[in-house]
Amino acid sequence: MVRVILRRLVQLVVTLIALMTLVFFWLRSLPGGPVDALLGERATPQTRELLTRALGYDQPIWVQYGRFLKNVVTGNFGNSIRTGEPVMDVISRSFPATIELAVAAIIIAIGLGIPLGYVAARYRGRLLDNATIIVTLIGISIPIFFLGYLLKDWLTQDIHFFPPSGRITTGLGNTDVTGFFVLDGLLTREFDASADALWHLVLPAFTLATIPLAIIIRITRASVLDVLDEDYIRTADAKGLRNATIRKRHVLRNALLPVVTTIGLQTGALLAGAVLTEKVYNWGGLGTLITDSISGGRDYPVLQALILLAAVVFIVVNLLVDLSYAIIDPRVRVQ
């Protein structure tokens, strides 16, 4: 198990270095570059030359690359072009909102997807199975932004069941502890604020979870059906093992590997889906920050940090997925 962890950590470091190299050259290949983005349309050749020297862009490329790696390792991404604040301060205000939304969405997707997929496989060809296939096809086909506006119009405007937007009711609770509003309410013992933040979270999280939920249901169903046809399942049944033992020890555990892979991929994809979801519900997370950084004057320092942050999250999630393989399937540890 230790060898598996060390091997994955080495792969993680190599992947991050390769990604940082791509971001470094991408930033310098964009039209106009960061110098023009900082100076704007009124830049003169003199001011452009002065800023180029100040930023060190007149130095050899390997010197710039070494300084870039040092800044990334130390978390120094400079200041935002739009606000003038340190990039990490800008991101730290939005990061908890997206993580809170993404975690809630993946919990909904896993909590509903695996049981529903398993039940659909158990009743293969029956009404429940056919209904599950139809519903999952609809869930995959509907764009997130359309479903978000549909649910928002129905559940917040027509029947007023959920709050229409935002993360918490204005003026309620202390939200400056961790930035995770549900957790902040619990830590400060303001349970009404925590409950309010959770109620604001339900509808955006369900909207974001629809596509991962549908995919997890279908993958779970297909994986369970494959396992049910294996010889060792028939052998276990012939030996007289209880159905509960067969389902838990032989069917579900062996069916989890492709499901876990799907969960890892979908967790990373939630960051992309969060952009649209946050816009619909005015969530104020990384998705909103990305669109503002692009449309608000090419805020390269923020975009650069966001790309690396998204990559780190995706890599760490896949590292956890790889480690879970070794827990679910002992054969992985031997390899």
Side-chain angles (χ1 to χ4, degrees):
M1 188 66 176
V2 175
R3 288 200 306 269
V4 173
I5 295 175
L6 291 176
R7 187 165 63 246
R8 293 294 184 267
L9 287 176
V10 171
Q11 293 173 354
L12 184 147
V13 172
V14 172
T15 304
L16 282 178
I17 293 175
L19 181 68
M20 287 188 291
T21 303
L22 289 174
V23 171
F24 173 79
F25 287 104
W26 165 79
L27 185 64
R28 281 149 183 78
S29 65
L30 291 176
V35 172
D36 284 349
L38 286 168
L39 294 176
E41 297 179 355
R42 298 181 179 180
T44 64
Q46 292 78 13
T47 56
R48 188 179 289 112
E49 182 179 355
L50 288 173
L51 186 58
T52 299
R53 291 179 180 176
L55 295 176
Y57 290 153
D58 59 331
Q59 297 179 355
I61 193 69
W62 60 270
V63 175
Q64 297 182 43
Y65 181 67
R67 187 172 60 249
F68 171 76
L69 291 181
K70 178 183 176 181
N71 290 338
V72 169
V73 172
T74 57
N76 179 19
F77 291 95
N79 295 330
S80 168
I81 295 174
R82 290 187 305 113
T83 65
E85 300 175 90
V87 169
M88 294 307 296
D89 291 346
V90 175
I91 292 178
S92 63
R93 289 198 299 267
S94 302
F95 185 66
T98 298
I99 294 299
E100 191 173 55
L101 179 61
V103 168
I106 203 63
I107 288 175
I108 293 173
I110 294 173
L112 296 177
I114 293 178
L116 288 175
Y118 179 80
V119 171
R122 284 289 309 280
Y123 297 97
R124 172 175 40 181
R126 301 184 186 179
L127 178 62
L128 179 61
D129 183 31
N130 293 329
T132 301
I133 293 174
I134 294 173
V135 171
T136 54
L137 282 174
I138 295 174
I140 295 173
S141 303
I142 297 180
I144 285 182
F145 71 90
F146 176 75
L147 179 64
Y149 280 118
L150 190 67
L151 293 176
K152 183 178 180 180
D153 184 64
W154 177 41
L155 295 175
T156 69
Q157 305 296 330
D158 293 343
I159 64 177
H160 304 284
F161 192 69
F162 288 104
S165 62
R167 298 179 60 197
I168 196 170
T169 301
T170 304
L172 185 63
N174 179 12
T175 58
D176 296 329
V177 181
T178 66
F180 299 94
F181 289 1
V182 176
L183 179 61
D184 287 347
L186 296 175
L187 293 177
T188 58
R189 296 185 178 275
E190 298 182 64
F191 300 115
D192 55 339
S194 182
D196 184 80
L198 185 61
W199 196 239
H200 278 75
L201 179 62
V202 172
L203 191 56
F206 181 79
T207 302
L208 184 58
T210 50
I211 293 180
L213 172 61
I215 293 174
I216 290 173
I217 290 175
R218 294 182 68 86
I219 295 297
T220 303
R221 176 185 177 275
S223 183
V224 170
L225 287 177
D226 288 341
V227 172
L228 287 174
D229 290 334
E230 294 290 341
D231 291 337
Y232 58 82
I233 299 298
R234 287 190 286 269
T235 302
D237 187 42
K239 289 169 61 178
L241 292 180
R242 294 186 305 163
N243 286 334
T245 302
I246 295 175
R247 289 196 298 267
K248 180 179 179 181
R249 184 177 300 176
H250 298 288
V251 177
L252 192 55
R253 186 166 184 174
N254 285 283
L256 276 180
L257 284 179
V259 177
V260 169
T261 303
T262 302
I263 292 172
L265 294 174
Q266 291 303 310
T267 302
L270 286 177
L271 294 176
V275 176
L276 297 174
T277 306
E278 288 179 9
K279 273 298 183 182
V280 172
Y281 293 101
N282 191 25
W283 193 251
L286 293 180
T288 304
L289 182 59
I290 290 172
T291 55
D292 290 345
S293 298
I294 294 174
S295 61
R298 296 181 300 178
D299 199 342
Y300 288 135
V302 174
L303 288 174
Q304 172 183 279
L306 287 173
I307 292 171
L308 291 174
L309 177 62
V312 169
V313 171
F314 193 83
I315 291 172
V316 170
V317 167
N318 280 274
L319 173 64
L320 296 176
V321 168
D322 290 341
L323 296 179
S324 67
Y325 288 164
I327 297 174
I328 296 171
D329 190 349
R331 293 172 298 182
V332 175
R333 281 174 257 173
V334 176
Q335 298 171 358

